[in-house]
Amino acid sequence: MFNFMKKKSKAETPQQRAERDSAVDKVLLGYEVGTVSIATMVTGLERDGQVLTLDLRLPKDSNPEQIQQELGQLLHPHGIRTIHMNVRLPADVKGAGASLPKSMPKTTDAMATHAKPATQAEQEPTSGEPPITKAAPTQASLAAHPRIRHIIVVASGKGGVGKSTTTVNIALALQKLGNRVGVLDADIYGPSMPTMLGVADIKPELENEQFVPVEAHSMAMLSIGSLLDSDNTPVAWRGPKATGALMQLYNQTNWPQLDYLVIDMPPGTGDIQLTLAQRIPVTGAVIVTTPQHVALMDAQKGVEMFNKTNIPVLGVVENMALHTCSNCNHTEAIFGSGGGKFIAEQYQVPLLGQLPLASGIRAQVDKGVPSVLADDEFASYYLSIAKNIEANIAKFAKPVDDKRIF
């Protein structure tokens, strides 16, 4: 192993931990193996004080010992004194691990149990140190944020179901019920929270190398959209950079004391969702769908993803359930009926509420004054959903302690 000189240090404060975690994130994102960020090769990560343990899947022509030493030098200024690396290399036709330097300690397979068995060259240790095997972080291993009581993600399997509109109104409804609420816009490619909350022209300030959230109707809000030059600036990033941006927005923000941080997720079940499941301590997820069959199929995938990553599903919101004609008052289920109830019953989770398809809801978020804030005829729907969330969330709460791991 690559060991730095160890020094006695006082216990870290939550602020110091957050700063160190953010600094480690930056180093991993900036360090490249070949032309690819090593952050894309991390399958597991754990920091315990001054010790960092990484599970890595490296290219077969990489030099793990050199990587360990270089990362050690880069992370030393940020208080990391020891680095443990559990490395998996692609199998080679002539035997994996044959080109490893002789001085490199034994590497271990930190992947799932279904992965291929290690070859003889991988199994034979080249030093007397025992291997350390670490699984990828799970929700159970993540401590609650020291200043945030509950983190709720609002997600959908597909776009166009009104997820962001639902998110912003749920957040405002939770606040109206007397909670301290923040909003994190994790929809990196299509950020809409700044516009919906009427703060599109306000940039977050920096204080001690941390973002100060934008205040939007007494809520703390941060979005990648707040950092862009204009509304039409595209975020043309590959997955690793997008997930890195999400972690930076979460870790490198001086969030105030909050009862709820509501995260607006991008549609789908890709990199950002998986990164969140491994790195951010989530209390539970709210699934937004429409009654349409195609939307329901994608919503089911979202529920399955959260089940597999051990994130409780707090319930389902069925959006665009009914439309009432403004001329004749005829009510029609344009996208079908019963879809939200079907998913809720299938997965034995609550149906948190059904929302109408109404131009008034759209018009209010376009103006930056969502329905709950405007206290219009639709506000009661969102307040009912917020009350249903509050009624069940206590049983999913994570215990708060100061052993935060990234």
Side-chain angles (χ1 to χ4, degrees):
M1 295 293 176
F2 186 82
N3 294 297
F4 298 102
M5 186 181 296
K6 295 184 179 179
K7 296 180 180 178
K8 274 195 170 180
S9 59
K10 295 181 181 178
E12 288 180 302
T13 65
Q15 176 79 11
Q16 289 171 328
R17 265 191 300 278
E19 289 175 357
R20 182 179 294 185
D21 291 346
S22 178
V24 172
D25 254 346
K26 285 183 180 178
V27 169
L28 294 178
L29 285 167
Y31 183 86
E32 294 185 348
V33 179
T35 58
V36 181
S37 168
I38 199 171
T40 66
M41 306 171 193
V42 176
T43 59
L45 181 151
E46 183 175 337
R47 185 176 74 80
D48 183 7
Q50 299 177 344
V51 179
L52 180 70
T53 301
L54 294 173
D55 301 331
L56 296 166
R57 179 185 285 176
L58 296 175
K60 69 177 182 179
D61 57 348
S62 59
N63 185 334
E65 185 177 47
Q66 179 184 350
I67 292 170
Q68 190 180 36
Q69 291 175 348
E70 290 176 352
L71 282 177
Q73 292 167 1
L74 292 170
L75 290 169
H76 184 260
H78 304 296
I80 300 299
R81 301 291 182 260
T82 305
I83 295 179
H84 299 318
M85 282 177 32
N86 304 316
V87 178
R88 184 186 180 201
L89 297 173
D92 188 78
V93 178
K94 296 180 181 179
S99 60
L100 284 177
K102 291 183 179 179
S103 58
M104 183 64 192
K106 176 184 174 181
T107 60
T108 58
D109 186 350
M111 305 305 290
T113 54
H114 301 293
K116 293 180 180 179
T119 63
Q120 184 176 358
E122 288 176 320
Q123 292 172 352
E124 292 178 358
T126 55
S127 78
E129 295 189 42
I132 300 176
T133 302
K134 298 282 185 181
T138 62
Q139 280 294 314
S141 70
L142 298 177
H145 191 288
R147 295 188 300 278
I148 302 173
R149 186 178 170 204
H150 298 299
I151 296 178
I152 295 176
V153 296
V154 182
S156 64
K158 71 188 300 294
V161 298
K163 170 185 55 61
S164 295
T165 299
T166 303
T167 299
V168 72
N169 276 296
I170 286 177
L172 287 165
L174 287 168
Q175 182 189 51
K176 199 164 187 176
L177 294 177
N179 298 291
R180 296 163 297 182
V181 180
V183 177
L184 174 59
D185 190 353
D187 195 346
I188 301 296
Y189 300 111
S192 55
M193 286 295 118
T195 299
M196 290 184 170
L197 286 168
V199 290
D201 298 327
I202 301 177
K203 304 292 183 187
E205 296 180 0
L206 276 175
E207 188 177 280
N208 298 324
E209 297 188 0
Q210 285 199 313
F211 292 115
V212 178
V214 173
E215 185 175 333
H217 309 295
S218 300
M219 293 193 304
M221 189 281 301
L222 195 62
S223 166
I224 195 70
S226 302
L227 307 176
L228 301 177
D229 294 332
S230 65
D231 291 342
N232 59 2
T233 301
V235 181
W237 291 345
R238 295 188 185 276
K241 192 168 183 180
T243 55
L246 168 61
M247 292 311 302
Q248 188 173 4
L249 291 177
Y250 172 74
N251 278 324
Q252 204 172 330
T253 297
N254 188 15
W255 296 105
Q257 204 73 34
L258 298 175
D259 296 307
Y260 292 94
L261 177 64
V262 183
I263 302 181
D264 182 34
M265 296 297 293
T269 54
D271 287 345
I272 292 178
Q273 288 84 351
L274 293 175
T275 294
L276 179 142
Q278 287 190 335
R279 307 281 291 281
I280 295 179
V282 178
T283 305
V286 173
I287 303 294
V288 179
T289 185
T290 64
Q292 185 181 8
H293 178 63
V294 173
L296 292 173
M297 289 192 298
D298 289 328
Q300 287 173 308
K301 294 173 186 175
V303 175
E304 290 287 351
M305 186 203 73
F306 287 121
N307 286 342
K308 289 179 180 178
T309 53
N310 298 314
I311 293 177
V313 175
L314 302 176
V316 176
V317 172
E318 184 182 81
N319 196 20
M320 308 179 192
L322 292 170
H323 172 68
T324 301
C325 177
S326 57
N327 290 323
C328 66
N329 288 325
H330 172 68
T331 299
E332 185 177 3
I334 293 177
F335 293 109
S337 62
K341 182 180 179 182
F342 171 76
I343 290 184
E345 291 177 349
Q346 180 183 7
Y347 290 98
Q348 298 182 333
V349 297
L351 177 62
L352 297 173
Q354 294 173 295
L355 298 166
L357 173 62
S359 61
I361 296 176
R362 185 270 310 159
Q364 289 302 131
V365 293
D366 282 352
K367 291 191 296 186
V369 187
S371 292
V372 173
L373 199 63
D375 198 19
D376 63 14
E377 60 184 301
F378 308 109
S380 60
Y381 290 95
Y382 297 105
L383 284 168
S384 176
I385 291 170
K387 288 176 183 177
N388 288 334
I389 291 173
E390 285 227 283
N392 294 299
I393 200 165
K395 61 186 176 184
F396 301 113
K398 291 181 178 291
V400 178
D401 59 36
D402 61 354
K403 298 177 181 178
R404 185 177 171 202
I405 302 175
F406 249 62

